[in-house]
Amino acid sequence: MYQRKLIAFAILAAASLAISPALKAELAYADKALSPTVIKECEKLYVKYRELGEADFTAKYSYKAYFYDCLKLYKDPNWTFSGKDKIDNYFDKIDAAKLKSTSGTSDIKSVKIVQKLKVGKENYYLKFQACASDTGIAKPTFLIQSDKEKFIAKSSKNLQSNKCLSFSTEITSKYSDSIVLKFVNDGPIYQGLKVKAI
């Protein structure tokens, strides 16, 4: 009996040593208890998160010390607070109305990040995929930003209707979670930003 317990203990010890550093970091975060003050600040900012969207919200508030704590909470489907349902319902209706008004005319079907690979101290290789709707897109343009950099990525390729293309670029960032992108139309609002060819 003693030998069986000793073997079981050895197996558990070996398993704990086999946990990767990345997983250990995730577990450490999971155990991290946020202070009531930080949680309250995150609750106050949630309406801005829904109003601006993740990309613009990151650009505006990533300087705050508790920003990434808030972002983790916002992406947790089980997190809630008094009044969150009203905020979500309000912005869900707005999003639905926007989708309905652009139905059949939107050029882009989906844009998603496929890979974030750290290639330097604060540098990431970013690979993403964009898919067009029925109309296709001539030389699509994307807004890519992080906590350290913000630029326009312009493709020299045409995105054919109902087809997908993969793109890649590099971006300076301290935290991989802060890297976001979205498809944009050329317009005055983005004038003055650095442009990178992809």
Side-chain angles (χ1 to χ4, degrees):
M1 180 65 71
Y2 176 75
Q3 286 183 332
R4 288 181 182 178
K5 288 183 179 180
L6 189 61
I7 292 172
F9 177 77
I11 292 173
L12 288 173
S16 66
L17 290 174
I19 297 176
S20 68
L23 182 55
K24 285 181 180 179
E26 291 292 329
L27 292 173
Y29 180 86
D31 292 337
K32 178 183 176 183
L34 300 181
S35 70
T37 302
V38 168
I39 293 175
K40 184 60 68 176
E41 290 299 320
C42 292
E43 291 175 0
K44 290 178 182 177
L45 280 178
Y46 184 69
V47 67
K48 284 296 181 182
Y49 173 77
R50 288 303 310 265
E51 177 187 343
L52 297 172
E54 186 173 331
D56 291 338
F57 180 79
T58 299
K60 189 170 183 179
Y61 293 104
S62 61
Y63 70 91
K64 290 185 176 291
Y66 48 81
F67 172 80
Y68 293 100
D69 290 326
C70 292
L71 209 57
K72 292 280 187 181
L73 287 177
Y74 300 160
K75 293 182 178 182
D76 182 353
N78 297 316
W79 177 71
T80 189
F81 61 91
S82 178
K84 183 177 182 291
D85 288 343
K86 290 183 179 179
I87 294 172
D88 285 337
N89 289 337
Y90 175 76
F91 285 104
D92 285 347
K93 287 179 182 178
I94 291 178
D95 291 342
K98 286 180 180 178
L99 182 62
K100 185 177 180 180
S101 67
T102 58
S103 179
T105 62
S106 177
D107 294 328
I108 203 76
K109 184 183 293 183
S110 66
V111 180
K112 64 179 180 179
I113 294 175
V114 177
Q115 183 182 30
K116 298 176 187 177
L117 179 64
K118 194 168 186 178
V119 293
K121 185 176 181 180
E122 291 188 354
N123 206 42
Y124 283 84
Y125 167 82
L126 181 69
K127 184 177 180 180
F128 62 97
Q129 184 184 73
C131 300
S133 65
D134 294 338
T135 55
I137 309 166
K139 298 180 179 179
T141 303
F142 307 90
L143 174 66
I144 304 178
Q145 63 188 67
S146 70
D147 57 313
K148 291 284 188 179
E149 189 178 11
K150 182 177 182 180
F151 61 88
I152 292 294
K154 193 170 183 64
S155 173
S156 59
K157 305 174 185 176
N158 293 329
L159 185 51
Q160 303 297 323
S161 60
N162 297 309
K163 299 289 184 180
C164 299
L165 277 178
S166 293
F167 303 94
S168 63
T169 187
E170 288 192 9
I171 186 168
T172 302
S173 179
K174 190 173 181 180
Y175 305 101
S176 63
D177 285 346
S178 74
I179 302 173
V180 292
L181 81 152
K182 65 179 179 180
F183 169 73
V184 296
N185 294 317
D186 291 321
I189 189 171
Y190 299 111
Q191 288 182 0
L193 285 181
K194 176 172 61 178
V195 177
K196 288 186 181 182
I198 56 173

